[in-house]
């Protein structure tokens, strides 16, 4: 009986994946549109120098997200490897990993902030934009862990909502910040706030695993 049950679980998993496809596709489209509008608005509202610096620092955050993507994929595969939701990576393991990522973010953030302050004092590096860049990178660990858990559990609506929040709010957040004359910090601050919203949503959706 175990083989038929396993086959049935696999069919159910594939059916759930197909059913969740439209939600994930819609989130991907919304994420791309949000980012496109964000950069279009930033190009118009920021001067060439500010826009160039913002683009360069945001490129650093994209590079920093690469290990997070691998982490998300690994956790999703582990969770989806068994028939039960949350299997493979138990709630206890996910909880320890998520809390560990917070501790790592706090420690690495403190070190990075100290380095930025020293660089600002010694070579005149732009302290504010660099600190905001660090603020964008720090929540990525918890965010990707939550995305992997949601994906592995085939909770595609929650996954889609969390993923979309990473990009969709950025233009709306940029406009008031840029209107305040924050320049580079407007683009970076809008990105940091959007990413925090996504990470917070992922944490709420996986809260039962974090208790």
């Amino acid at each position: 009986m175990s083989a038929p049950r396993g086959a049935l679980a696999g069919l159910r998993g594939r059916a759930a994946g197909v059913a969740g496809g439209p939600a994930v596709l819609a989130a991907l489209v919304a994420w791309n549109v949000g980012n496109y509008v964000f950069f279009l608005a930033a190009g118009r509202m920021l001067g060439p120098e500010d826009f160039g610096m913002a683009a360069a620092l945001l490129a650093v955050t994209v590079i920093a997200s690469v290990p997070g993507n691998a982490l998300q994929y690994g956790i999703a595969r582990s969770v989806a490897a068994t028939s039960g939701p949350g299997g493979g990576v138990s709630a206890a393991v996910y909880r320890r990993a998520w809390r560990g990522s917070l501790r790592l973010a706090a420690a690495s953030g403190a070190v990075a902030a100290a380095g930025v302050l020293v660089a600002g004092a010694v070579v005149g590096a732009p302290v504010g934009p660099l600190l905001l860049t660090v603020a964008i990178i720090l929540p990525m660990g918890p965010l990707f862990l939550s995305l992997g858990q949601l994906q592995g559990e085939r909770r595609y609506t929650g996954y889609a909502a969390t993923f979309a929040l990473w990009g969709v709010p950025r233009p709306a957040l940029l406009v008031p910040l840029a209107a305040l004359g924050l320049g580079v910090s407007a683009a970076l601050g809008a990105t940091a706030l959007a990413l925090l919203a996504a990470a917070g949503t992922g944490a709420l959706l996986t809260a039962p695993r974090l208790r």
Side-chain angles (χ1 to χ4, degrees):
M1 293 297 291
S2 60
R5 286 178 181 174
L8 181 59
L11 289 173
R12 287 175 178 170
R14 285 192 288 272
V18 172
V24 175
L25 177 60
L28 182 60
V29 171
W31 183 84
N32 279 289
V33 170
N35 286 322
Y36 173 77
V37 175
F38 169 81
F39 281 105
L40 186 65
R44 291 180 177 272
M45 300 184 74
L46 307 181
E49 183 177 350
D50 284 347
F51 180 74
M53 179 180 290
L57 293 175
L58 288 173
V60 173
T61 68
V62 172
I63 295 172
S65 72
V66 173
N69 283 308
L71 177 64
Q72 174 191 331
Y73 177 74
I75 287 181
R77 279 184 60 88
S78 297
V79 173
T82 61
S83 57
V89 175
S90 68
V93 173
Y94 173 64
R95 181 169 59 250
R96 286 196 296 269
W98 197 88
R99 292 177 178 177
S101 70
L102 288 184
R103 290 192 293 269
L104 178 61
S108 58
V111 173
V116 167
L117 293 175
V118 170
V122 174
V123 299
V127 173
L130 288 175
L131 288 177
L132 283 171
T133 303
V134 173
I136 294 170
I137 295 172
L138 293 182
M140 287 184 177
L143 171 61
F144 283 117
L145 282 167
S146 297
L147 285 172
Q149 187 75 15
L150 291 168
Q151 182 181 356
E153 292 181 358
R154 303 183 181 95
R155 295 169 60 190
Y156 294 114
T157 301
Y159 172 89
T162 302
F163 182 82
L165 281 172
W166 189 358
V168 172
R170 291 174 79 188
L173 294 168
L174 169 68
V175 173
L177 294 176
L180 292 174
L182 297 180
V184 177
S185 296
L188 297 172
T191 303
L193 290 173
L195 199 142
L196 283 172
T201 300
L204 288 174
L205 291 173
T206 59
R209 305 289 182 199
L210 297 174
R211 293 170 185 161

